[in-house]
Amino acid sequence: MFRKRSYIAALIGILLAMTVLFMAFGSRLFTDIEEESVVAEESGGGQIVVGVSQLGSESGWRTANTESVQNAFTQQNGYFLIFNNARQKQENQLKAIRSFISQRVDYIVFSPVVETGWETVLQEAKEAGIPVILMDRSIDVDTPDLYVTCVGSNFVEEGEKAGRWLENELSRRGDANRTVNIVMLLGTQGSSSQIGRTVGFASVSSGHENWNILEQEYAEFTSTKGKEVMRGFLRKHPNIDVVISQNDDMTFGAIEAIREAGRTVGVGGDITILSFDAVHDALEMVADGMINVDIECNPNQGEYLLQVIDMLEAGQTVEKRYYVEEDVFTIDNVTKELLQERNY
């Protein structure tokens, strides 16, 4: 009997402890969005509340872009940040934006996964009186006033830069009139970066009948997919001269596939590599001659976003688009100092 009573008492004690724990933490376990709402409402103190929906964390570039935003919208700068990772799904971004609207944030910032499908949710934000700012990528809408401005890169210009570099490089080699076989690893289908870089490069390549684009395929801006797609290219096309890869992560995977196939890359190699983004690890490969050229896409956009919102808070008029500064990197201008200073 004594043992039975002791067992019952212990069981009651455990149940009471679990009840206390549930009361303390239960809401956090089950209602992430509600928790954000409470935090947003309690932030107060004159801070500007900004809801940011990042499209994902698919690359080193995206991680640097996120850090830039988080370093800009700090309490020390007078801001309260509510951050959401959409994990590369538009439906997650739509849900996050509606959550920001319900929380009555002061501004909504988001990096759209794709260009289309935003009219309804942005109209909801407009009716709620919440200004929307696009980050990194743009959107395709019939009503431009659904968003205030866009801060990011000129993707068409990036594609043109890649085309002009290849044009000059082939001329330098004495191959300007030789048939050049090209394959292209494209980013996320329908994203403004994929569309812009493709259009920009095509504007140059269309002027060269000897540039033979063998195939192009979407590789989702990831290393794994880049390697998979490149393996397929190599099996079908033994005569590849040039690889255009629309971001560094895809390039890393593509180079692995090329080397595993017994081919060589970069300066003096079998296959010329053109990449985009210019993250630190890729620039090291440029310095080592493995990547011929890397077209920069600057992820440090947080400071630009901060300046735009400060202008809006001061009642100033902002432009519809702001482009960040970007460069083109080859083995000739990637120095040790640059690599040491690179924060992404």
Side-chain angles (χ1 to χ4, degrees):
M1 179 66 71
F2 177 77
R3 290 182 179 178
K4 185 176 182 180
R5 287 179 178 175
S6 298
Y7 172 78
I8 293 172
L11 181 61
I12 292 172
I14 292 171
L15 290 172
L16 288 172
M18 291 177 65
T19 301
V20 171
L21 287 171
F22 178 82
M23 292 174 64
F25 302 107
S27 60
R28 293 190 180 183
L29 293 174
F30 297 105
T31 56
D32 288 341
I33 292 177
E34 290 180 8
E35 180 187 4
E36 286 183 346
S37 299
V38 172
V39 172
E41 290 170 1
E42 291 178 352
S43 64
Q47 290 182 331
I48 301 168
V49 181
V50 179
V52 174
S53 177
Q54 179 61 280
L55 71 84
S57 52
E58 78 286 354
S59 64
W61 188 98
R62 188 64 54 189
T63 299
N65 183 237
T66 293
E67 291 176 354
S68 174
V69 171
Q70 292 173 335
N71 290 335
F73 295 118
T74 63
Q75 293 188 16
Q76 290 82 356
N77 288 335
Y79 287 86
F80 185 87
L81 174 64
I82 306 174
F83 185 85
N84 170 271
N85 184 338
R87 305 190 186 285
Q88 292 185 288
K89 293 184 178 180
Q90 186 177 30
E91 57 266 32
N92 290 343
Q93 287 200 299
L94 295 173
K95 182 179 178 182
I97 292 171
R98 289 194 168 101
S99 173
F100 296 154
I101 294 171
S102 70
Q103 293 178 76
R104 303 184 298 279
V105 301
D106 296 308
Y107 295 90
I108 293 173
V109 176
F110 79 107
S111 180
V113 177
V114 294
E115 286 196 346
T116 58
W118 304 103
E119 285 86 349
T120 300
V121 73
L122 295 189
Q123 183 62 40
E124 293 171 15
K126 182 179 179 181
E127 291 173 358
I130 303 175
V132 174
I133 299 170
L134 306 180
M135 173 179 69
D136 172 36
R137 301 180 179 181
S138 60
I139 58 176
D140 182 9
V141 291
D142 294 331
T143 310
D145 66 355
L146 290 177
Y147 65 94
V148 176
T149 186
C150 177
V151 173
S153 301
N154 188 332
F155 297 119
V156 173
E157 184 177 82
E158 289 178 0
E160 291 173 349
K161 287 177 180 178
R164 296 302 177 199
W165 180 89
L166 184 58
E167 197 175 53
N168 294 332
E169 177 65 9
L170 292 173
S171 178
R172 183 189 69 79
R173 297 178 187 176
D175 294 332
N177 299 316
R178 181 178 68 84
T179 297
V180 179
N181 295 313
I182 302 170
V183 294
M184 298 182 66
L185 284 81
L186 309 180
T188 302
Q189 184 175 7
S191 66
S192 58
S193 49
Q194 175 267 310
I195 294 170
R197 289 168 184 167
T198 303
V199 169
F201 183 78
S203 69
V204 179
S205 65
S206 61
H208 299 275
E209 294 182 358
N210 59 314
W211 290 16
N212 180 26
I213 298 180
L214 300 169
E215 191 172 354
Q216 54 187 21
E217 186 174 336
Y218 300 105
E220 301 172 1
F221 286 133
T222 67
S223 177
T224 300
K225 191 66 175 178
K227 185 174 183 177
E228 175 188 326
V229 170
M230 192 66 221
R231 278 175 171 171
F233 287 163
L234 290 164
R235 284 194 293 267
K236 290 181 283 186
H237 309 291
N239 56 342
I240 296 171
D241 298 310
V242 176
V243 172
I244 312 292
S245 174
Q246 290 186 342
N247 90 327
D248 288 332
D249 283 75
M250 293 190 301
T251 302
F252 298 151
I255 288 175
E256 283 186 22
I258 293 169
R259 298 178 76 179
E260 287 174 4
R263 304 286 300 276
T264 57
V265 298
V267 178
D270 298 336
I271 299 177
T272 298
I273 305 292
L274 285 74
S275 191
F276 292 81
D277 281 358
V279 300
H280 183 276
D281 289 350
L283 289 183
E284 286 190 334
M285 296 175 76
V286 173
D288 291 338
M290 294 178 64
I291 295 175
N292 296 78
V293 65
D294 209 332
I295 313 302
E296 183 178 28
C297 183
N298 187 353
N300 293 325
Q301 299 170 7
E303 183 178 346
Y304 290 79
L305 292 164
L306 186 65
Q307 292 175 5
V308 166
I309 294 182
D310 283 346
M311 290 171 65
L312 291 171
E313 285 292 299
Q316 300 176 21
T317 301
V318 298
E319 298 177 15
K320 197 63 179 177
R321 180 174 293 275
Y322 291 93
Y323 291 126
V324 294
E325 295 182 3
E326 296 174 333
D327 206 342
V328 175
F329 294 103
T330 67
I331 196 170
D332 296 323
N333 64 345
V334 177
T335 63
K336 290 182 179 180
E337 291 75 21
L338 172 67
L339 291 172
Q340 291 172 352
E341 295 171 357
R342 201 70 166 177
N343 66 346
Y344 62 91

